[in-house]
Amino acid sequence: MAAVLGTDELWQIVERERTSLADLLAGLSPGAWETPTRCGDWRVRDVAAHLSIGARSTYRWVLRELVRSRGNFDRMIHDSAVREARRPAGEIVADLRAIAGSRRCAPLTTPRESLLDVLVHGQDIALALGRTRAMPPEAARDAADRVWTMRVPPRPWPLPHARLVATDIAWTRGTGEEIRGPIAALLLLLTGRPEAAEEWTGRAGADARER
């Protein structure tokens, strides 16, 4: 079942997600910016900085950063975010607000990666801070479908050997033992965050739990 949003609708959701995330970040204490997340060794400030980079990057920037990281794409993403995160928190928030309505994609990506990025990393930040952040089911379904089918850029997470069934929207993928849950939780599972998937479901309340 195809689950792709229209381009305009997708970008409108991206803008809303970036704006609401900037609002959340703007109200944080200095200490909260240093909170560790489940996204590797990134703190809240590193994840926030990463989200502000894509729409501002160019092919020349990517080539320069790849040289700095000795051709390691994952290291390039990690190190560029950590460097950007050294800037004052206010500047990171301002950058995120500035690109909220941008429809520019990072080199070698599509608008669907922009949606995937802000949805999943928005949860990385919110869960690290003990916050509940809603995820639009239609957007989460599009992002989950993108993870399932992505080839370029390479998917960095292995697909689970299971049949995934969303309980709040029409979406099913895979074969094997069945895993049921809200599409937002399945998206976190697909992106290598099983503990975050459980925590998101718990924070979302009884209505989101598998019955």
Side-chain angles (χ1 to χ4, degrees), residues 84-101:
E84 285 287 309
R86 294 170 184 159
R87 303 167 64 208
E91 291 185 14
I92 297 173
V93 173
D95 283 344
L96 191 55
R97 289 197 192 282
I99 60 103

Side-chain angles (χ1 to χ4, degrees), residues 1-6 112 137-138 140-146 148-149 169-173:
M1 177 189 301
V4 180
L5 295 171
R112 299 182 77 192
E138 295 81 4
R141 178 174 63 180
D142 185 291
D145 211 51
R146 178 58 181 149
W148 193 269
T149 60
I169 197 168
W171 191 82
T172 302
R173 291 289 183 275

